[in-house]
């Protein structure tokens, strides 16, 4: 038989036993994958007005349910502009900076108030002229002091811009004005490619190649940037000369202003062994081309 002291010690235990067991909440952390897409016809003209039902997304070949859809997304832009200031463009720097300033004005005056732009230059080294800003005077002051130098560190510039963009929210874009050549980077092409894909940044190389015959061009570098653009959901532009650079900037801006936003929660691909998932976006209308990134990396924990 229990004495009074023993009974008092057992009361809390008995009371707890009589209570309902605590609820256990199991969290399933499923990442929303966002995919930005442009749709174009056979002539390259942008196609707007498509409905959600027109799109199909496949993750590693598995069809996915589209949970988020915006016909013309207003998600703020985070645009990193990378300017080649190597010796080969020394006579064209004024045209390059003027066209870039014109793009900045169009981007920041006519778009979402939350849009931001940063400036980097690259020759033998990469220089950060400004962080991400919407202050046009700050961008204009930075462009005044651009001077050419030897070497071309294109892949280093893409890598560093991608690292910065990975930490930001919004639609992430890299515009690289270059001839496609790289002579001085520490990082290699695969490093820059992976960094851009991890940042979910669309790369738009503007390849200024005044020389039209292959012997005078860096065809290998051009092909590498074409591949980077295709895999990240951007595209390559060939203005032909710095006099036409402003028109190329306007083409990029038109693409950015008419993007569809698609989002899905990956289902049925959890067992995939590879860290990189291949994406495919299709529309149900024949003859249309979808411009969207071709994959994403799983987040590391």
């Amino acid at each position: 038989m229990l004495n009074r002291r023993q009974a008092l010690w057992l009361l809390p235990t008995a009371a707890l036993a009589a209570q309902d067991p605590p609820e256990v909440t199991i969290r399933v952390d499923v990442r929303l994958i966002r995919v930005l897409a442009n749709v174009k016809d056979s002539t390259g003209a942008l196609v707007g007005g498509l409905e959600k039902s027109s799109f199909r997304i496949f993750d590693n070949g598995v069809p996915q349910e589209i949970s988020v859809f915006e016909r013309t997304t207003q998600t703020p832009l985070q645009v990193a502009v990378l300017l080649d200031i190597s010796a080969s463009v020394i006579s064209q720097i004024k045209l390059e900076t003027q066209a870039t300033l014109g793009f900045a004005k169009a981007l920041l005056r006519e778009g979402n108030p939350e849009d931001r732009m940063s400036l980097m230059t690259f020759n033998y080294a990469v220089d950060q002229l400004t962080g991400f800003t919407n202050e046009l005077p700050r961008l204009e002051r930075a462009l005044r002091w651009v001077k050419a130098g030897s070497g071309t560190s294109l892949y280093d510039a893409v890598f560093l811009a991608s690292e910065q963009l990975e930490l930001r929210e919004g639609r992430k874009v890299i515009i690289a004005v270059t001839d496609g050549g790289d002579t001085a980077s520490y990082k290699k092409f695969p490093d820059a490619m992976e960094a851009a894909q991890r940042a979910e940044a669309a790369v738009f190389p503007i390849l200024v190649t005044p020389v039209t015959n292959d012997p005078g061009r860096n065809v290998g570098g051009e092909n590498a940037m074409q591949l980077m653009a295709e895999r990240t959901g951007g595209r390559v532009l060939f203005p032909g000369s710095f006099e036409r650079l402003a028109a190329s900037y306007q083409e990029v801006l038109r693409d950015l202003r008419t993007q569809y936003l698609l989002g899905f929660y990956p289902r049925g691909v959890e067992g995939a062994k590879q860290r990189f998932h291949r994406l495919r976006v299709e529309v149900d209308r024949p003859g249309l081309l979808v411009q969207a990134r071709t994959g994403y990396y799983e987040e590391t924990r």
Side-chain angles (χ1 to χ4, degrees):
M1 185 171 179
L2 296 175
N3 60 36
R4 192 168 185 271
R5 176 172 292 183
Q6 289 173 320
L8 287 172
W9 275 107
L10 288 175
L11 274 174
T13 304
L16 286 173
Q19 295 176 358
D20 292 333
E23 293 185 3
V24 177
T25 302
I26 299 175
R27 287 189 59 191
V28 179
D29 188 11
V30 181
R31 173 186 174 193
L32 177 67
I33 304 300
R34 295 177 176 85
V35 182
L36 296 162
N38 285 112
V39 181
K40 299 182 179 181
D41 64 18
S42 58
T43 68
L46 290 160
V47 177
L50 297 178
E51 301 294 336
K52 173 182 173 181
S53 58
S54 296
F55 289 86
R56 304 284 185 275
I57 295 184
F58 300 85
D59 185 336
N60 281 344
V62 180
Q64 302 293 316
E65 178 183 354
I66 298 174
S67 302
V68 175
F69 179 79
E70 295 179 17
R71 190 177 290 109
T72 304
T73 181
Q74 297 301 312
T75 304
L77 286 161
Q78 306 287 336
V79 182
V81 177
L82 318 180
L83 300 179
D84 184 341
I85 57 167
S86 59
S88 61
V89 302
I90 190 169
S91 63
Q92 306 294 332
I93 281 184
K94 185 174 181 180
L95 289 172
E96 185 178 23
T97 56
Q98 286 177 339
T100 301
L101 181 58
F103 170 75
K105 290 177 179 178
L107 173 70
L108 300 177
R109 286 178 177 171
E110 301 169 11
N112 188 318
E114 299 300 317
D115 290 345
R116 297 292 184 270
M117 175 176 158
S118 75
L119 280 172
M120 284 185 179
T121 57
F122 59 94
N123 42 39
Y124 67 92
V126 180
D127 287 325
Q128 179 87 54
L129 301 188
T130 72
F132 287 88
T133 181
N134 64 348
E135 298 176 9
L136 281 171
R138 183 180 174 193
L139 294 166
E140 186 171 11
R141 285 194 301 271
L143 288 168
R144 286 179 190 155
W145 297 100
V146 172
K147 294 182 180 179
S150 60
T152 311
S153 300
L154 171 59
Y155 299 150
D156 283 352
V158 172
F159 185 90
L160 292 170
S162 299
E163 282 197 323
Q164 293 181 1
L165 284 166
E166 190 171 4
L167 303 175
R168 302 187 69 83
E169 295 293 332
R171 289 183 289 154
K172 294 175 275 192
V173 179
I174 295 173
I175 301 174
V177 180
T178 178
D179 64 2
D182 188 296
T183 63
S185 286
Y186 290 98
K187 297 294 182 181
K188 304 301 182 185
F189 174 77
D191 303 319
M193 169 79 83
E194 180 172 336
Q197 288 176 314
R198 286 190 179 280
E200 301 179 358
V203 180
F204 287 80
I206 301 180
L207 299 180
V208 186
T209 53
V211 179
T212 57
N213 56 313
D214 285 355
R217 294 171 57 176
N218 190 320
V219 177
E222 292 176 25
N223 291 338
M225 296 311 292
Q226 176 78 50
L227 181 61
M228 185 179 294
E230 290 175 356
R231 291 187 176 179
T232 61
R235 70 180 176 108
V236 174
L237 297 99
F238 290 92
S241 69
F242 280 97
E243 285 82 2
R244 300 176 184 173
L245 178 57
S248 292
Y249 271 129
Q250 288 303 311
E251 285 192 55
V252 174
L253 198 55
R254 278 194 292 272
D255 278 13
L256 299 179
R257 296 286 187 236
T258 55
Q259 286 181 313
Y260 295 89
L261 173 62
L262 315 170
F264 70 95
Y265 295 95
R267 306 293 184 191
V269 291
E270 291 83 359
K273 294 181 180 179
Q274 62 269 39
R275 295 177 301 128
F276 185 76
H277 290 234
R278 296 193 178 278
L279 290 176
R280 188 170 81 255
V281 183
E282 299 176 349
V283 290
D284 60 3
R285 289 171 54 180
L288 298 185
L289 175 68
V290 180
Q291 174 185 314
R293 61 186 172 122
T294 60
Y296 69 93
Y297 281 89
E298 288 186 0
E299 290 182 336
T300 56
R301 301 184 186 283

